[in-house]
Amino acid sequence: MKALFDQSGRVAVVTGAGSGLGLQAAACLAELGATTFLLDLDEARLEEACAGLRSKGLPVQSRVVDVCDAAQQGAVFDEIVAAHGRLDVVMANAGVSGGRGPMARAGAIDAVDIAHWQQVLDINLTGTFKTLQCACRHMKTFKRGRIIATTSASVLSPEPFVSYSYSASQAALNATIRLLAVEMAAYGVSVNAIAPGPFVTGISGGAMADPGVQQTLSKRIALGRLGAPEDIRGLVAFLASDASSYLTGEVIALAGGYPSAPLAATAVTPQPPRPQ
Ligand SMILES: NC(=O)c1ccc[n+]([C@@H]2O[C@H](COP(=O)([O-])OP(=O)(O)OC[C@H]3O[C@@H](n4cnc5c(N)ncnc54)[C@H](O)[C@@H]3O)[C@@H](O)[C@H]2O)c1
């Protein structure tokens, strides 16, 4: 069984790997033996993350990349493939929070700033799509590979703590992943999404920064706690490995049983009925 999860001799790329879930995913792939490239646009964060992994003797390298910059990202993928002659695992994980959801006044539909909405979609949806394009361009020629996207369990049912822009981007990504799996099956490439529930990471600007929201959300998680970044490791190891050889096109919630309580428990303020 150990051989099924072995990544020795393989090459992995993780975007948004400077912190949180991406950093844990990169550490996991490197520990399993893959030469792992950590990509992030935050250079300081990236260097600190990489230094930490290197100090443990792990085979990691860093590249500063903004996933929104197709030319920059494409050049980095080309450089990695030219140097190593292969590309085995790509985890498209970079993303941002879209701010507060409609539970807060600032997140109500009439308060949404369209420029901000567009910015979130540009990063979470279009930026991730550009990562998928880079991965597929190379994996089509190698006729093998594993693609994993990080989406969100918060869009599998309505979540009023989460912003419209974030919900729209993650739901669109789930649809994209399912469709891409169909195209890439002919090339021996599997494409799946990990849809995390509420995790405590450094993701800023959203409802998760609020301890009150964390408390409310944890009551709606069957396991009774928010996710810790390390909780993503097992599923990354599985989806990146030969152990998942008959799995593609799946959006897998990694959410401790969230949401286990009905939405009504946290519903927005009820509106009076319309006058007849
Ligand atoms: N934390 C949660 O509760 C949660 C839940 C569901 C899904 N997710 C998703 O998981 C992914 C990772 O989030 P996290 O919670 O680890 O947050 P995080 O902020 O700790 O990590 C995200 C990383 O992405 C990087 N990044 C942001 N924009 C980028 C860009 N344009 N190009 C390259 N790198 C960029 C950031 O610098 C950061 O290092 C995101 O896609 C997020 O939407 C998080």
Side-chain angles (χ1 to χ4, degrees), residues 193-239:
I194 297 177
F199 271 63
V200 184
T201 67
I203 201 159
S204 60
M208 287 300 289
D210 180 335
V213 171
Q214 290 192 10
Q215 208 179 16
T216 307
L217 283 172
S218 61
K219 288 188 189 137
R220 292 168 56 214
I221 299 172
L223 293 182
R225 67 170 176 89
L226 301 168
E230 300 76 25
D231 288 323
I232 202 166
R233 295 168 64 113
L235 192 48
V236 171
F238 173 62
L239 292 178

Short mmCIF file of all heavy atoms in Angstrom, two decimals, residues 193-239:
data_model
loop_
_atom_site.label_atom_id
_atom_site.label_comp_id
_atom_site.label_asym_id
_atom_site.label_seq_id
_atom_site.Cartn_x
_atom_site.Cartn_y
_atom_site.Cartn_z
N ALA A 193 -11.73 18.15 -7.22
CA ALA A 193 -11.68 19.32 -6.35
C ALA A 193 -11.81 18.89 -4.90
O ALA A 193 -12.58 17.98 -4.57
CB ALA A 193 -12.79 20.30 -6.69
N ILE A 194 -11.04 19.56 -4.06
CA ILE A 194 -11.25 19.45 -2.61
C ILE A 194 -12.05 20.68 -2.23
O ILE A 194 -11.65 21.81 -2.52
CB ILE A 194 -9.91 19.43 -1.85
CG1 ILE A 194 -9.09 18.20 -2.25
CG2 ILE A 194 -10.16 19.45 -0.34
CD1 ILE A 194 -7.71 18.12 -1.59
N ALA A 195 -13.19 20.46 -1.59
CA ALA A 195 -14.06 21.58 -1.19
C ALA A 195 -14.02 21.67 0.33
O ALA A 195 -14.82 21.02 1.03
CB ALA A 195 -15.47 21.34 -1.69
N PRO A 196 -13.11 22.48 0.88
CA PRO A 196 -13.01 22.56 2.34
C PRO A 196 -14.21 23.30 2.94
O PRO A 196 -14.76 24.22 2.34
CB PRO A 196 -11.72 23.36 2.60
CG PRO A 196 -11.01 23.42 1.28
CD PRO A 196 -12.07 23.31 0.24
N GLY A 197 -14.58 22.87 4.14
CA GLY A 197 -15.53 23.65 4.94
C GLY A 197 -14.76 24.77 5.61
O GLY A 197 -13.67 25.16 5.15
N PRO A 198 -15.26 25.32 6.70
CA PRO A 198 -14.54 26.40 7.38
C PRO A 198 -13.25 25.91 8.03
O PRO A 198 -13.27 25.02 8.86
CB PRO A 198 -15.54 26.87 8.45
CG PRO A 198 -16.87 26.29 8.07
CD PRO A 198 -16.57 25.03 7.33
N PHE A 199 -12.14 26.48 7.59
CA PHE A 199 -10.81 26.15 8.11
C PHE A 199 -10.19 27.40 8.73
O PHE A 199 -10.39 28.50 8.22
CB PHE A 199 -9.88 25.67 6.98
CG PHE A 199 -9.92 24.19 6.72
CD1 PHE A 199 -11.09 23.57 6.29
CD2 PHE A 199 -8.79 23.41 6.90
CE1 PHE A 199 -11.12 22.20 6.04
CE2 PHE A 199 -8.81 22.04 6.66
CZ PHE A 199 -9.98 21.43 6.23
N VAL A 200 -9.43 27.22 9.77
CA VAL A 200 -8.72 28.35 10.37
C VAL A 200 -7.39 28.50 9.66
O VAL A 200 -6.48 27.69 9.84
CB VAL A 200 -8.51 28.14 11.88
CG1 VAL A 200 -7.86 29.37 12.48
CG2 VAL A 200 -9.83 27.85 12.57
N THR A 201 -7.30 29.51 8.80
CA THR A 201 -6.06 29.81 8.09
C THR A 201 -5.86 31.32 8.14
O THR A 201 -6.63 32.03 8.77
CB THR A 201 -6.16 29.38 6.60
OG1 THR A 201 -7.13 30.21 5.96
CG2 THR A 201 -6.52 27.92 6.44
N GLY A 202 -4.87 31.79 7.40
CA GLY A 202 -4.63 33.23 7.39
C GLY A 202 -5.50 33.98 6.40
O GLY A 202 -5.32 35.18 6.22
N ILE A 203 -6.46 33.29 5.76
CA ILE A 203 -7.27 33.96 4.73
C ILE A 203 -7.94 35.17 5.37
O ILE A 203 -8.54 35.08 6.43
CB ILE A 203 -8.28 32.99 4.06
CG1 ILE A 203 -8.72 33.53 2.70
CG2 ILE A 203 -9.47 32.69 4.95
CD1 ILE A 203 -9.31 32.48 1.76
N SER A 204 -7.76 36.31 4.73
CA SER A 204 -8.17 37.55 5.40
C SER A 204 -9.40 38.17 4.75
O SER A 204 -9.74 37.85 3.61
CB SER A 204 -7.02 38.56 5.37
OG SER A 204 -6.69 38.82 4.03
N GLY A 205 -10.05 39.02 5.49
CA GLY A 205 -11.14 39.82 4.92
C GLY A 205 -12.52 39.19 4.99
O GLY A 205 -13.52 39.87 4.87
N GLY A 206 -12.60 37.90 5.18
CA GLY A 206 -13.91 37.25 5.18
C GLY A 206 -14.47 37.09 6.58
O GLY A 206 -13.91 37.59 7.56
N ALA A 207 -15.58 36.39 6.65
CA ALA A 207 -16.24 36.21 7.94
C ALA A 207 -15.40 35.37 8.90
O ALA A 207 -15.54 35.48 10.11
CB ALA A 207 -17.59 35.54 7.70
N MET A 208 -14.49 34.54 8.35
CA MET A 208 -13.72 33.62 9.20
C MET A 208 -12.78 34.34 10.15
O MET A 208 -12.27 33.74 11.10
CB MET A 208 -12.92 32.65 8.32
CG MET A 208 -13.76 31.60 7.66
SD MET A 208 -14.62 30.57 8.85
CE MET A 208 -13.23 29.67 9.51
N ALA A 209 -12.53 35.63 9.91
CA ALA A 209 -11.65 36.37 10.82
C ALA A 209 -12.40 36.73 12.11
O ALA A 209 -11.78 37.17 13.09
CB ALA A 209 -11.16 37.64 10.13
N ASP A 210 -13.71 36.57 12.12
CA ASP A 210 -14.55 36.97 13.25
C ASP A 210 -14.76 35.76 14.18
O ASP A 210 -15.37 34.76 13.79
CB ASP A 210 -15.89 37.46 12.67
CG ASP A 210 -16.87 37.92 13.74
OD1 ASP A 210 -16.76 37.46 14.90
OD2 ASP A 210 -17.76 38.71 13.39
N PRO A 211 -14.28 35.84 15.45
CA PRO A 211 -14.43 34.69 16.36
C PRO A 211 -15.89 34.30 16.57
O PRO A 211 -16.20 33.11 16.75
CB PRO A 211 -13.82 35.21 17.67
CG PRO A 211 -12.99 36.39 17.30
CD PRO A 211 -13.56 36.96 16.05
N GLY A 212 -16.80 35.28 16.52
CA GLY A 212 -18.23 34.98 16.68
C GLY A 212 -18.73 34.10 15.54
O GLY A 212 -19.49 33.14 15.76
N VAL A 213 -18.28 34.41 14.33
CA VAL A 213 -18.67 33.61 13.16
C VAL A 213 -18.07 32.21 13.29
O VAL A 213 -18.75 31.21 13.03
CB VAL A 213 -18.20 34.30 11.85
CG1 VAL A 213 -18.41 33.37 10.67
CG2 VAL A 213 -18.94 35.61 11.65
N GLN A 214 -16.83 32.15 13.72
CA GLN A 214 -16.18 30.84 13.89
C GLN A 214 -16.99 29.97 14.86
O GLN A 214 -17.19 28.78 14.62
CB GLN A 214 -14.76 31.02 14.44
CG GLN A 214 -13.81 31.64 13.44
CD GLN A 214 -12.36 31.54 13.91
OE1 GLN A 214 -12.04 30.86 14.87
NE2 GLN A 214 -11.48 32.24 13.22
N GLN A 215 -17.44 30.59 15.94
CA GLN A 215 -18.20 29.85 16.95
C GLN A 215 -19.53 29.35 16.37
O GLN A 215 -19.91 28.19 16.55
CB GLN A 215 -18.46 30.75 18.14
CG GLN A 215 -18.61 30.01 19.43
CD GLN A 215 -18.84 30.97 20.58
OE1 GLN A 215 -19.17 32.14 20.38
NE2 GLN A 215 -18.67 30.49 21.78
N THR A 216 -20.22 30.24 15.64
CA THR A 216 -21.50 29.85 15.05
C THR A 216 -21.30 28.73 14.04
O THR A 216 -22.06 27.75 14.01
CB THR A 216 -22.16 31.06 14.34
OG1 THR A 216 -22.22 32.12 15.28
CG2 THR A 216 -23.55 30.74 13.84
N LEU A 217 -20.27 28.87 13.21
CA LEU A 217 -20.04 27.86 12.19
C LEU A 217 -19.67 26.51 12.82
O LEU A 217 -20.12 25.47 12.35
CB LEU A 217 -18.93 28.31 11.23
CG LEU A 217 -19.33 29.36 10.19
CD1 LEU A 217 -18.12 29.86 9.44
CD2 LEU A 217 -20.36 28.79 9.21
N SER A 218 -18.87 26.55 13.88
CA SER A 218 -18.44 25.27 14.46
C SER A 218 -19.63 24.49 15.02
O SER A 218 -19.60 23.26 15.07
CB SER A 218 -17.34 25.47 15.51
OG SER A 218 -17.82 26.26 16.55
N LYS A 219 -20.71 25.21 15.38
CA LYS A 219 -21.92 24.51 15.87
C LYS A 219 -22.62 23.78 14.72
O LYS A 219 -23.49 22.96 14.96
CB LYS A 219 -22.88 25.52 16.49
CG LYS A 219 -22.39 26.04 17.82
CD LYS A 219 -23.47 26.89 18.46
CE LYS A 219 -22.89 27.58 19.69
NZ LYS A 219 -23.28 28.98 19.81
N ARG A 220 -22.30 24.17 13.49
CA ARG A 220 -22.92 23.51 12.33
C ARG A 220 -21.99 22.49 11.68
O ARG A 220 -22.20 22.08 10.55
CB ARG A 220 -23.35 24.58 11.32
CG ARG A 220 -24.51 25.43 11.86
CD ARG A 220 -24.74 26.66 11.01
NE ARG A 220 -24.98 26.29 9.64
CZ ARG A 220 -24.58 27.03 8.60
NH1 ARG A 220 -23.93 28.17 8.80
NH2 ARG A 220 -24.84 26.65 7.38
N ILE A 221 -20.94 22.11 12.41
CA ILE A 221 -20.00 21.10 11.91
C ILE A 221 -20.17 19.85 12.78
O ILE A 221 -20.03 19.93 14.00
CB ILE A 221 -18.55 21.62 11.97
CG1 ILE A 221 -18.41 22.86 11.08
CG2 ILE A 221 -17.56 20.53 11.55
CD1 ILE A 221 -17.08 23.57 11.19
N ALA A 222 -20.52 18.73 12.14
CA ALA A 222 -20.80 17.51 12.91
C ALA A 222 -19.65 17.15 13.84
O ALA A 222 -19.87 16.74 14.98
CB ALA A 222 -21.11 16.36 11.95
N LEU A 223 -18.41 17.32 13.38
CA LEU A 223 -17.26 16.96 14.22
C LEU A 223 -17.00 18.00 15.31
O LEU A 223 -16.10 17.81 16.14
CB LEU A 223 -16.00 16.75 13.37
CG LEU A 223 -16.04 15.52 12.45
CD1 LEU A 223 -14.71 15.37 11.70
CD2 LEU A 223 -16.35 14.23 13.21
N GLY A 224 -17.74 19.09 15.29
CA GLY A 224 -17.69 20.04 16.40
C GLY A 224 -16.50 20.98 16.43
O GLY A 224 -16.28 21.67 17.43
N ARG A 225 -15.75 21.03 15.36
CA ARG A 225 -14.61 21.97 15.32
C ARG A 225 -14.36 22.43 13.90
O ARG A 225 -14.72 21.75 12.93
CB ARG A 225 -13.34 21.32 15.88
CG ARG A 225 -12.81 20.18 15.03
CD ARG A 225 -11.43 19.71 15.47
NE ARG A 225 -10.97 18.56 14.70
CZ ARG A 225 -10.28 18.64 13.56
NH1 ARG A 225 -9.98 19.82 13.04
NH2 ARG A 225 -9.90 17.54 12.93
N LEU A 226 -13.70 23.60 13.79
CA LEU A 226 -13.28 24.10 12.48
C LEU A 226 -12.11 23.25 11.99
O LEU A 226 -11.42 22.61 12.80
CB LEU A 226 -12.86 25.56 12.59
CG LEU A 226 -13.96 26.50 13.11
CD1 LEU A 226 -13.36 27.85 13.48
CD2 LEU A 226 -15.05 26.68 12.08
N GLY A 227 -11.86 23.28 10.69
CA GLY A 227 -10.74 22.53 10.14
C GLY A 227 -9.42 23.19 10.51
O GLY A 227 -9.33 24.42 10.60
N ALA A 228 -8.39 22.38 10.71
CA ALA A 228 -7.02 22.89 10.86
C ALA A 228 -6.32 22.63 9.53
O ALA A 228 -6.62 21.62 8.87
CB ALA A 228 -6.31 22.15 11.98
N PRO A 229 -5.40 23.51 9.11
CA PRO A 229 -4.77 23.33 7.80
C PRO A 229 -4.24 21.91 7.55
O PRO A 229 -4.37 21.37 6.45
CB PRO A 229 -3.64 24.36 7.82
CG PRO A 229 -4.14 25.44 8.72
CD PRO A 229 -4.96 24.75 9.78
N GLU A 230 -3.72 21.27 8.60
CA GLU A 230 -3.16 19.92 8.45
C GLU A 230 -4.23 18.91 8.01
O GLU A 230 -3.91 17.85 7.47
CB GLU A 230 -2.55 19.41 9.77
CG GLU A 230 -1.42 20.25 10.33
CD GLU A 230 -1.88 21.55 10.99
OE1 GLU A 230 -3.04 21.59 11.45
OE2 GLU A 230 -1.10 22.51 11.03
N ASP A 231 -5.50 19.22 8.27
CA ASP A 231 -6.57 18.27 7.93
C ASP A 231 -6.67 18.01 6.43
O ASP A 231 -7.36 17.09 6.00
CB ASP A 231 -7.93 18.80 8.44
CG ASP A 231 -8.06 18.71 9.95
OD1 ASP A 231 -7.57 17.74 10.54
OD2 ASP A 231 -8.65 19.64 10.55
N ILE A 232 -6.02 18.86 5.62
CA ILE A 232 -6.12 18.67 4.16
C ILE A 232 -5.14 17.62 3.64
O ILE A 232 -5.28 17.11 2.53
CB ILE A 232 -5.92 20.02 3.40
CG1 ILE A 232 -6.55 19.94 2.01
CG2 ILE A 232 -4.44 20.41 3.33
CD1 ILE A 232 -6.70 21.26 1.31
N ARG A 233 -4.16 17.28 4.45
CA ARG A 233 -3.04 16.47 3.95
C ARG A 233 -3.45 15.09 3.42
O ARG A 233 -2.99 14.67 2.35
CB ARG A 233 -1.98 16.33 5.03
CG ARG A 233 -1.34 17.66 5.37
CD ARG A 233 -0.50 17.57 6.62
NE ARG A 233 0.61 16.68 6.46
CZ ARG A 233 1.90 17.05 6.44
NH1 ARG A 233 2.22 18.30 6.62
NH2 ARG A 233 2.83 16.17 6.28
N GLY A 234 -4.28 14.39 4.15
CA GLY A 234 -4.65 13.03 3.75
C GLY A 234 -5.34 12.99 2.41
O GLY A 234 -5.05 12.13 1.56
N LEU A 235 -6.24 13.94 2.18
CA LEU A 235 -6.99 13.95 0.91
C LEU A 235 -6.08 14.36 -0.25
O LEU A 235 -6.21 13.84 -1.36
CB LEU A 235 -8.21 14.87 1.03
CG LEU A 235 -9.24 14.80 -0.08
CD1 LEU A 235 -9.65 13.37 -0.41
CD2 LEU A 235 -10.47 15.64 0.27
N VAL A 236 -5.15 15.28 0.00
CA VAL A 236 -4.18 15.65 -1.04
C VAL A 236 -3.34 14.42 -1.40
O VAL A 236 -3.14 14.10 -2.58
CB VAL A 236 -3.27 16.81 -0.57
CG1 VAL A 236 -2.13 17.04 -1.55
CG2 VAL A 236 -4.10 18.08 -0.39
N ALA A 237 -2.86 13.72 -0.38
CA ALA A 237 -2.02 12.53 -0.62
C ALA A 237 -2.78 11.52 -1.47
O ALA A 237 -2.23 10.92 -2.40
CB ALA A 237 -1.61 11.91 0.72
N PHE A 238 -4.05 11.34 -1.17
CA PHE A 238 -4.88 10.38 -1.91
C PHE A 238 -5.11 10.82 -3.35
O PHE A 238 -4.86 10.07 -4.31
CB PHE A 238 -6.21 10.20 -1.16
CG PHE A 238 -7.22 9.37 -1.88
CD1 PHE A 238 -6.97 8.03 -2.19
CD2 PHE A 238 -8.45 9.91 -2.25
CE1 PHE A 238 -7.91 7.26 -2.86
CE2 PHE A 238 -9.39 9.15 -2.93
CZ PHE A 238 -9.12 7.83 -3.24
N LEU A 239 -5.58 12.07 -3.53
CA LEU A 239 -5.93 12.52 -4.88
C LEU A 239 -4.71 12.67 -5.78
O LEU A 239 -4.83 12.60 -7.00
CB LEU A 239 -6.69 13.85 -4.81
CG LEU A 239 -8.09 13.78 -4.20
CD1 LEU A 239 -8.74 15.16 -4.14
CD2 LEU A 239 -8.99 12.82 -4.98
#
